[in-house]
Amino acid sequence: MDAKKKNGRPRRVLAVASGGGHWVQLRRLIPAVAGSDAAFVTVQAEYGSDLPPDCRFYCVRDATRWDRWGLLVLCFQLLRILLRERPDVVLSTGAAPGYLALRLGKLLGARTIWLDSIANVEEVSLSGRRIGPHADLWLTQWPHLARPEGPHYLGSVL
């Protein structure tokens, strides 16, 4: 990812993931956002210690599709972060926080990237299937899951 915009300022990136493997995969993308003005969002406060000191960090509520109240709270938390950060790009490796961040980021004019979970070897994740058509770039880690309409396989990035 080109770290600078045409005006010379660093590209603002908001990287969002739920916990566990999604967070581990997002952390592996830190070198890809080097040189950008990056902020990270996840669901566990202790994950902030995994990041370089120059990265901003936000912790949001963890919610699933079965927790409607939790999703609403999460949606408002993410909207507040997006309005504060005003990212050029919203990047996610998955689940509910990433899905909502991409949808909201897109509404606010950000470019969006969804990298489907490396754990999904047999099929694209449910979140990936739902967000894919709305993402500017939808990627999979597995060549056999790639389709012309997406997700796309551009090599293993994790």
Side-chain angles (χ1 to χ4, degrees):
M1 177 185 311
D2 183 18
K4 299 265 186 209
K5 288 185 73 169
K6 289 181 183 177
N7 64 8
R9 77 167 173 85
R11 186 172 307 276
R12 292 185 69 110
V13 176
L14 185 67
V16 183
S18 59
H22 295 288
W23 177 250
V24 170
Q25 291 171 42
L26 190 66
R27 279 194 2 241
R28 290 180 182 169
L29 295 173
I30 290 172
V33 299
S36 65
D37 184 8
F40 289 79
V41 179
T42 191
V43 297
Q44 296 287 332
E46 59 269 15
Y47 288 172
S49 64
D50 296 339
L51 298 172
D54 60 335
C55 291
R56 289 176 308 288
F57 176 77
Y58 299 93
C59 184
V60 294
R61 179 181 179 133
D62 197 5
T64 68
R65 61 186 167 162
W66 297 285
D67 177 12
R68 302 224 185 239
W69 174 251
L71 287 173
L72 185 62
V73 170
L74 174 59
C75 190
F76 281 110
Q77 289 177 319
L78 289 168
L79 182 59
R80 195 173 105 232
I81 293 166
L82 284 158
L83 290 172
R84 173 181 276 171
E85 290 292 329
R86 295 288 181 180
D88 301 304
V89 177
V90 178
L91 163 70
S92 183
T93 54
Y99 173 88
L100 290 171
L102 262 69
R103 291 302 299 259
L104 293 168
K106 188 80 165 167
L107 288 173
L108 296 173
R111 303 284 291 168
T112 57
I113 302 171
W114 181 272
L115 178 58
D116 209 58
S117 175
I118 195 168
N120 293 3
V121 178
E122 302 288 324
E123 62 183 358
V124 174
S125 69
L126 175 62
S127 296
R129 288 192 306 270
R130 291 192 173 173
I131 195 64
H134 304 284
D136 293 307
L137 181 59
W138 179 20
L139 299 172
T140 178
Q141 296 290 292
W142 305 104
H144 64 278
L145 295 180
R147 303 287 179 267
E149 69 280 2
H152 303 287
Y153 176 77
L154 301 178
S156 294
V157 295
L158 293 180

